[in-house]
Amino acid sequence: MLLISLAFSCIIFISGILLGMGLDRFRINDVIVELDRNEFERESYIIEGRFLELFGENKCTYINTRLNDLSNDLVNTGKILNEYEVRGIFSGIEYKNLKDRYSLSEIRLYILLKEIKEECGLNRPVVLFFYDQEDRLSKQQGYALDSVVRKIQNITILSIDRELDAAIVRAVKIHYNVTKSPTVIINFDEKIEGYINVDEILNIIDKK
């Protein structure tokens, strides 16, 4: 009876591990699919712009609609990734690679927004937010930025884990001299270190 009970317990234990691994793989694949779709949409946007320029059209006329789609898709992917992160559902090298890849997608969009601002005079608030995952002020800053999004419809907020060691993240941190969290960059040049409340953010955006 003891051997049977032991064998049964082992089967249950191993089954639980395998089930957990299967769920982790499903969640990772879920994020990968979203990231692939984000990259496809961004590349489609770039090709559309080149097509319009080549054939004498003004690509600036359709920018806002497409930018809303690009921003919203990336934000939704970030929410999925953040939910798994906060709940501690998965971790490890694959998860780190996903965060690096997501941050790369954010910075690509950030660069694209900067180019569009210079080429088309884009009148769209852009916020780059550096946070530390376990930092209390970073979490409060995240809530404040969520409130800003609810008040301003056409805005892009990109959130990057300051502790990531990806080369592109290091390059951006060096450029803006980001040494603490939270740090917020508004419209590519206004840098605020430490927590900043909703009204202060809105005032800076209005001035710009």
Side-chain angles (χ1 to χ4, degrees):
M1 290 296 294
L2 287 175
L3 289 175
I4 293 174
S5 298
L6 179 61
F8 186 69
S9 298
C10 288
I11 291 172
I12 294 176
F13 178 72
I14 294 172
S15 297
I17 292 176
L18 293 175
L19 178 61
M21 292 174 62
L23 290 174
D24 280 356
R25 171 53 55 187
F26 175 79
R27 293 175 182 123
I28 288 172
N29 288 340
D30 188 31
V31 178
I32 289 174
V33 168
E34 289 297 317
L35 286 171
D36 287 341
R37 190 165 68 87
N38 294 158
E39 292 177 6
F40 173 79
E41 291 297 332
R42 186 180 58 254
E43 291 302 315
S44 295
Y45 171 84
I46 293 172
I47 292 172
E48 287 174 33
R50 289 176 179 172
F51 175 86
L52 292 174
E53 285 181 329
L54 181 62
F55 289 92
E57 300 290 339
N58 184 1
K59 72 175 184 179
C60 297
T61 58
Y62 78 108
I63 278 178
N64 279 329
T65 300
R66 296 290 281 119
L67 283 182
N68 282 335
D69 293 338
L70 291 174
S71 297
N72 292 337
D73 288 344
L74 196 57
V75 167
N76 290 336
T77 303
K79 287 180 179 179
I80 295 173
L81 192 59
N82 184 66
E83 179 185 354
Y84 294 160
E85 183 176 25
V86 170
R87 292 166 58 188
I89 289 179
F90 58 68
S91 58
I93 187 64
E94 287 185 299
Y95 179 58
K96 179 184 179 300
N97 290 339
L98 284 178
K99 288 198 69 174
D100 287 346
R101 185 176 168 189
Y102 176 71
S103 296
L104 178 61
S105 293
E106 288 191 298
I107 294 171
R108 280 175 175 167
L109 180 58
Y110 190 68
I111 293 170
L112 180 61
L113 289 166
K114 175 67 170 176
E115 291 175 347
I116 294 171
K117 179 181 179 181
E118 294 177 355
E119 293 177 11
C120 303
L122 176 67
N123 184 23
R124 179 189 186 91
V126 178
V127 177
L128 187 62
F129 166 45
F130 289 92
Y131 68 92
D132 286 358
Q133 185 179 349
E134 302 300 328
D135 178 57
R136 178 180 58 83
L137 286 179
S138 292
K139 293 177 180 178
Q140 292 179 358
Q141 190 65 73
Y143 297 141
L145 291 171
D146 287 341
S147 297
V148 170
V149 171
R150 288 192 289 269
K151 293 177 180 294
I152 301 178
Q153 184 176 4
N154 294 325
I155 186 171
T156 297
I157 295 180
L158 304 171
S159 304
I160 296 178
D161 188 339
R162 191 180 66 90
E163 296 177 311
L164 287 179
D165 195 39
I168 184 61
V169 175
R170 291 200 305 269
V172 176
K173 288 192 296 184
I174 290 172
H175 174 74
Y176 286 115
N177 191 27
V178 177
T179 59
K180 60 183 292 187
S181 292
T183 294
V184 175
I185 314 294
I186 299 177
N187 289 344
F188 306 105
D189 55 17
E190 184 78 21
K191 175 183 170 184
I192 301 98
E193 292 183 322
Y195 176 79
I196 177 171
N197 65 40
V198 175
D199 290 336
E200 290 174 312
I201 295 172
L202 293 175
N203 286 336
I204 292 174
I205 291 174
D206 287 341
K207 289 178 182 179
K208 287 182 169 293

